Amino acid sequence: DSNFLDIGINDGDSFTALHSLGNRLLAFKQRKLYVINVSSTSDAGWYLEAEYDGMGCRQQESVCKTPFGVCWVNDDGVYIFDGQSTPKELTVNLDDATWRTNQSTKNPAIGYNNKYKQLNVVQDTAADTDVFVFDFPAQGWSITKSIGSSGISNFIPSYDGLYYLEYSSSNGKTVKVLTGDIGTKTIDLRTKDLDFGNPGLVKKAKKVYVTVKNENYVELTNTTHKELILSYALNGTESYVDLAAQNIDSTTYKTLVYTINQDLESIALKLTTNNVAGGDSNTGKLSINDINIDYRQTNKRPS
């Protein structure tokens, strides 16, 4: 009873996780995060450094440690604390309403895949769910295929990926690993709605240049290859128009040119892949170096 640190009144909330980062302890409640400074060699010198409302988590598997800081997930998004500043939200560019709808009242899990320096987040461990992947080098999110049937456990990091238990409807449990390796599914890469910094004027988009290579390309005797399809949606809509597919038939970067020729206020792009009928066995790594839009700004206002 004499060994405790008073960090706040009893607010009816419960502690859910405890982690350390350098000379700080991170004490999580469901709705609040306490940062405790323990740099003193005597516990009498420990003190509550900061507290953050809305930064809590639901359970222990909602928190993980990475080389970049402690990360956690809750109903409002994914956050990181690096010990140098206040917690930062990593999901700031994702749709808040969609995230909260999918996350609310569910039990999420988070894990760090050191193999590819990626954060993996499952919003609902009790059901079949997508995996949100945050790539630290690229500072961007992607979504990979669903895992789990009747639910999964927490993630256990290892040298070859993230291990977890996958449950079945008959209460069976199977050990699985989320490697992050190259898969065989088609990609669906979408940009945000781009207004080129001036939403109040009409632009004329002429062409889109995509510099891409197929690192696993093999010249096939029947000359069938993987294709890259570029689609576009105008002025904030989600009605995409497909442009003619083009072959990705090089292990070095080549520039594919797509013609748009449209007046617009803003534009969103979507890139998808397709295996040409006849068999393209090179379902491997596709690298996109850059995407450039050739456009001209007019002096016309949107009608």
Side-chain angles (χ1 to χ4, degrees), residues 253-269:
Y253 282 112
K254 63 177 292 187
T255 300
L256 307 180
V257 183
Y258 300 86
T259 301
I260 295 181
N261 279 336
Q262 292 285 341
D263 288 336
L264 51 92
E265 300 166 42
S266 62
I267 185 172
L269 302 177

Side-chain angles (χ1 to χ4, degrees), residues 6 31 54 99 109 116 119-120 131 146 160 174 201 203 211 220 233 245 251 259 291 298:
D6 187 3
R31 299 176 183 86
W99 180 275
Y116 293 105
L119 198 64
N120 292 261
V131 182
S146 301
D160 55 349
T174 306
L201 292 176
K203 278 75 64 175
T211 305
L220 303 177
T251 55
T259 301
I291 302 173
T298 72

Side-chain angles (χ1 to χ4, degrees), residues 16-298:
T16 55
L18 181 68
H19 282 258
S20 64
L21 181 67
N23 58 7
R24 294 177 176 87
L25 291 178
L26 277 65
F28 292 89
K29 285 188 172 183
Q30 293 188 55
R31 299 176 183 86
K32 183 176 288 188
L33 166 65
Y34 295 99
V35 179
I36 306 163
N37 192 304
V38 294
S39 58
S40 174
T41 56
S42 169
D43 56 7
W46 297 358
Y47 62 93
L48 178 62
E49 183 176 292
E51 56 182 277
Y52 302 98
D53 289 319
M55 294 284 185
C57 68
R58 189 166 286 122
Q59 67 256 326
Q60 178 74 1
E61 55 261 41
S62 300
V63 190
C64 74
K65 184 174 287 187
T66 78
F68 309 97
V70 175
C71 297
W72 65 97
V73 54
N74 62 25
D75 288 358
D76 296 312
V78 179
Y79 300 87
I80 184 170
F81 180 71
D82 59 9
Q84 305 300 315
S85 61
T86 60
K88 300 175 183 177
E89 184 182 352
L90 297 177
T91 47
V92 67
N93 289 327
L94 301 184
D95 182 72
D96 289 338
T98 300
W99 180 275
R100 176 168 274 279
T101 298
N102 292 337
Q103 180 59 73
S104 183
T105 72
K106 298 171 183 174
N107 294 321
I110 189 171
Y112 178 71
N113 186 347
N114 190 63
K115 187 176 180 181
Y116 293 105
K117 296 181 175 61
Q118 291 176 338
L119 198 64
N120 292 261
V121 182
V122 169
Q123 288 188 287
D124 185 9
T125 57
D128 188 24
T129 184
D130 291 332
V131 182
F132 286 78
V133 181
F134 181 76
D135 188 274
F136 278 97
Q139 291 290 294
W141 287 94
S142 60
I143 299 175
T144 189
K145 66 171 291 187
S146 301
I147 63 173
S149 50
S150 297
I152 66 168
S153 70
N154 58 302
F155 289 118
I156 303 296
S158 184
Y159 71 95
D160 55 349
L162 293 170
Y163 283 83
Y164 61 96
L165 289 177
E166 183 177 272
Y167 308 133
S168 67
S169 57
S170 59
N171 295 321
K173 300 177 181 65
T174 306
V175 177
K176 295 288 187 73
V177 60
L178 187 62
T179 65
D181 292 342
I182 298 168
T184 58
K185 301 295 183 180
T186 59
I187 66 167
D188 184 340
L189 174 66
R190 305 189 186 202
T191 71
K192 64 180 182 180
D193 200 39
L194 305 168
D195 59 21
F196 308 102
N198 199 334
L201 292 176
V202 173
K203 278 75 64 175
K204 176 78 170 184
K206 299 179 179 179
K207 297 180 183 295
V208 176
Y209 301 88
V210 182
T211 305
V212 62
K213 67 177 176 180
N214 187 346
E215 298 192 13
N216 299 93
Y217 174 76
V218 177
E219 185 68 43
L220 303 177
T221 55
N222 58 6
T223 66
T224 57
H225 313 297
K226 184 180 291 298
E227 292 180 331
L228 187 67
I229 304 168
L230 186 136
S231 311
Y232 66 89
L234 302 181
N235 307 329
T237 70
E238 294 187 1
S239 178
Y240 284 90
V241 177
D242 294 340
L243 298 177
Q246 299 195 38
N247 287 338
I248 320 167
D249 53 4
S250 175
T251 55
T252 58
Y253 282 112
K254 63 177 292 187
T255 300
L256 307 180
V257 183
Y258 300 86
T259 301
I260 295 181
N261 279 336
Q262 292 285 341
D263 288 336
L264 51 92
E265 300 166 42
S266 62
I267 185 172
L269 302 177
K270 179 174 71 171
L271 292 171
T272 55
T273 54
N274 178 47
N275 288 333
V276 181
D280 182 3
S281 60
N282 52 313
T283 54
K285 185 175 181 181
L286 185 69
S287 296
I288 298 175
N289 187 64
D290 56 65
I291 302 173
N292 290 290
I293 304 175
D294 177 22
Y295 75 98
R296 177 176 58 85
Q297 185 167 289
T298 72

